[in-house]
Amino acid sequence: MSTTEFLWYIPNQVNPGHRGEPVAVDHNSLDVLTAQAEALEDNGWHGALLGTGWGRPDTFTLATALAARTRTFEPLIAIRPGYWRPANFASAAATLDHLTGGRVRINIVSGQDNLAAYGDSEGDQAHRYARTKEFMRLVRRLWTAENVTFAGEHFSVTDSTVVPRPIVRGDRRHPKLYFGGASEAAERVAATEADVQLFWGEPIEGIAERIARLKALSLELDRDLPPLKFGLRITTLVRDTTEEAWRDAEAKVAQMARHQGLGWDDHNRKVAVGQKRLLDLHARGEVLDDNLYTAPGKFGGGGAGTTWLVGSARDVANSLEKYRALGIDTFVLSDTPYLNEIKRQGRHLLPLLRSVPADRDAQEIEPELVN
């Protein structure tokens, strides 16, 4: 039976007011972000995704600082192959993993960014994902083998040994490689190279279809790694009652509409296939499945802020259980204000999800499981 993992999201933004977070001049100070990481430790979360992109604080530096100030917090560090050479990255990540006792997770990002600003030449989609595939395969070899010699289309190393080594613990031989993307090119990389494929908040039917396709691709492309696992990155708006949750959700969307989504979209909405899939959902209805709210995407929400699961802790837990029944075993959740919601959802949502076996069929959580 697989263990379900629950992570949060630390915004890692220069500008305040991200996705409805109260504006504060110290919003990205080390003390404020450490308080969030410590609250994650204290409220049942495994760690948090740290976003990346040119014009944001350096993700790896932030992850190192937060890891140094915490005990169990596991940063899911988003990085781009265009920012790093494979051997340099493999060494940096292995060092941080060694120093933290094996707390590092890595999210590989291949979507387009401001190439000219950081001097990249990643080219078109085919070139970008071919490079990502090579990067992931080489990094994994550098973490698990010594005296590596490799000559590829995009990268090469000769007699390369990374020291110190990542922490080996049970089946864990190195930090997990998480990956996203919904294009055909992205899915072929995930099917062969990723440890965990992350999805954004699509309806149950869409996630089920994508999982089936990725499993079939893994067989077709002769995946030589352990079976691909799956995760969900989504906004969860949880309140004491269903009615309160929907009032707050509608009020947030009304504010987004007034401000034209300012502070909500930190993704490139024009080109990403996965983002377009999310933005198209509101044409099918304002609420899909039981409580998947699509209106945020209509008024400026981007990425994980495009669709929200809305309701009481029981409502949202029931919905997440249905995703878990499909094979999702990693959840990356968030809502604002970030610190308050880390505590609220840690205390009221996570216990419901941990009360139910991970492999049971999706069905209503029984009332007696709710305190």
Side-chain angles (χ1 to χ4, degrees):
M1 180 187 299
S2 63
T3 300
T4 306
E5 297 185 320
F6 301 99
L7 290 87
W8 192 252
Y9 173 71
I10 290 179
N12 192 31
Q13 298 283 334
V14 169
N15 297 321
H18 185 251
R19 294 186 180 164
E21 177 80 349
V23 173
V25 294
D26 64 346
H27 71 102
N28 66 344
S29 70
L30 184 55
D31 285 345
V32 167
L33 298 179
T34 298
Q36 294 180 26
E38 290 174 338
L40 290 166
E41 290 184 319
D42 294 339
N43 288 275
W45 304 90
H46 289 89
L49 170 64
L50 308 178
T52 190
W54 192 256
R56 297 167 79 166
D58 179 70
T59 313
F60 206 92
T61 303
L62 174 60
T64 301
L66 293 180
R69 284 194 166 199
T70 52
R71 307 173 310 280
T72 62
F73 170 77
E74 299 184 17
L76 174 51
I77 310 168
I79 67 104
R80 292 176 179 271
Y83 293 179
W84 294 85
R85 302 291 295 178
N88 175 231
F89 170 73
S91 176
T95 299
L96 184 57
D97 197 62
H98 172 79
L99 292 173
T100 60
R103 288 195 269 148
V104 171
R105 303 166 186 245
I106 302 297
N107 181 31
I108 304 290
V109 180
S110 288
Q112 289 190 5
D113 199 6
N114 189 347
L115 306 186
Y118 58 92
D120 192 18
S121 57
E122 61 191 15
D124 60 15
Q125 184 189 71
H127 178 278
R128 192 166 69 249
Y129 282 102
R131 183 180 69 175
T132 296
K133 177 181 173 68
E134 199 171 286
F135 182 94
M136 294 169 75
R137 179 136 295 227
L138 178 52
V139 164
R140 188 181 275 108
R141 278 189 63 188
L142 289 165
W143 280 339
T144 57
E146 297 181 355
N147 306 114
V148 174
T149 295
F150 175 89
E153 180 182 352
H154 305 277
F155 305 110
S156 62
V157 297
T158 300
D159 197 24
S160 181
T161 299
V162 165
V163 290
R165 311 298 284 172
I167 296 295
V168 175
R169 184 172 53 244
D171 294 336
R172 182 197 193 272
R173 300 183 64 204
H174 55 74
K176 288 182 183 178
L177 294 179
Y178 295 70
F179 190 70
S183 67
E184 180 180 356
E187 289 191 340
R188 293 178 75 86
V189 173
T192 54
E193 304 301 330
D195 295 311
V196 182
Q197 164 76 29
L198 287 175
F199 303 116
W200 278 331
E202 295 187 37
I204 293 290
E205 180 183 7
I207 298 292
E209 185 268 332
R210 292 191 63 194
I211 287 175
R213 184 167 63 249
L214 283 162
K215 287 182 175 180
L217 265 177
S218 294
L219 293 174
E220 177 188 330
L221 299 175
D222 294 325
R223 176 183 175 92
D224 58 0
L225 299 170
L228 180 63
K229 294 188 175 183
F230 305 100
L232 183 71
R233 167 75 186 103
I234 192 169
T235 296
T236 44
L237 194 151
V238 175
R239 298 293 184 267
D240 291 341
T241 67
T242 304
E243 294 75 19
E244 181 186 359
W246 282 105
R247 282 197 303 271
D248 284 2
E250 290 167 359
K252 276 194 174 187
V253 168
Q255 185 176 29
M256 291 171 64
R258 286 194 297 272
H259 298 285
Q260 300 180 321
L262 183 66
W264 280 84
D265 179 28
D266 52 13
H267 292 264
N268 189 330
R269 296 157 60 94
K270 295 180 181 179
V271 298
V273 173
Q275 178 65 83
K276 186 177 187 305
R277 286 171 66 100
L278 290 184
L279 291 170
D280 289 345
L281 288 175
H282 66 73
R284 293 170 45 186
E286 193 168 278
V287 181
L288 303 178
D289 293 342
D290 297 323
N291 57 339
L292 185 67
Y293 194 30
T294 67
K298 184 177 180 180
F299 294 105
T306 313
T307 57
W308 309 345
L309 287 176
V310 177
S312 66
R314 185 189 304 180
D315 296 334
V316 173
N318 285 336
S319 295
L320 294 176
E321 274 301 313
K322 293 176 182 178
Y323 288 105
R324 182 153 62 173
L326 299 178
I328 301 290
D329 59 15
T330 299
F331 292 97
V332 185
L333 311 179
S334 68
D335 191 24
T336 56
Y338 287 111
L339 183 58
N340 289 353
E341 291 305 312
I342 286 168
K343 297 175 182 178
R344 183 206 301 266
Q345 296 190 32
R347 292 169 183 168
H348 299 292
L349 178 62
L350 295 192
L352 298 182
L353 295 166
R354 290 200 168 100
S355 298
V356 185
D359 60 349
R360 55 150 247 191
D361 293 332
Q363 52 188 297
E364 284 283 309
I365 294 177
E366 295 298 328
E368 60 263 29
L369 293 178
V370 183
N371 294 321

